[in-house]
Amino acid sequence: MPRGPLITAEVELLIAGVYRKHPRWKAREVRDEVEYLLRKRGGRAPRGWPSLSAVQRVLARIHKSEKGLLNNPQEQPWSIGTLE
């Protein structure tokens, strides 16, 4: 059962943006930055929102989609020898 407000698409995009800007950051650092940005915008989100587990779920989806792109043969380097 979720404890806080639902994670909206806008917040998911914000999480993805922070992660893309700082790809080496852990989920806790991304969460802290997202919370800071939401408060800076004047939002009235509860303290500690979004939760760490919510940020981890969003980051897992991002990593899974990135992994899918890496396994796509059309995204791999090519040469004349690899053409069929």
Side-chain angles (χ1 to χ4, degrees):
M1 192 91 167
R3 287 195 196 163
L6 292 175
I7 304 298
T8 62
E10 178 185 352
V11 175
E12 285 187 11
L13 287 174
L14 189 58
I15 292 169
V18 169
Y19 173 72
R20 295 213 193 305
K21 189 173 181 182
H22 306 283
R24 293 183 182 258
W25 280 9
K26 305 282 186 208
R28 181 170 303 279
E29 296 165 322
V30 172
R31 191 205 72 78
D32 291 342
E33 182 69 14
V34 168
E35 182 182 9
Y36 169 76
L37 292 173
L38 288 172
R39 290 192 178 281
K40 187 176 174 184
R41 289 183 180 177
R44 293 184 171 215
R47 200 151 205 56
W49 184 83
S51 67
L52 182 59
S53 61
V55 172
Q56 288 171 334
R57 278 193 305 271
V58 172
L59 291 177
R61 273 189 259 138
I62 292 170
H63 292 146
K64 187 175 180 178
S65 69
E66 287 177 348
K67 186 177 179 184
L69 286 176
L70 293 176
N71 291 334
N72 185 351
Q74 293 177 344
E75 298 295 327
Q76 299 294 325
W78 66 276
S79 70
I80 296 294
T82 60
L83 297 176
E84 294 179 12

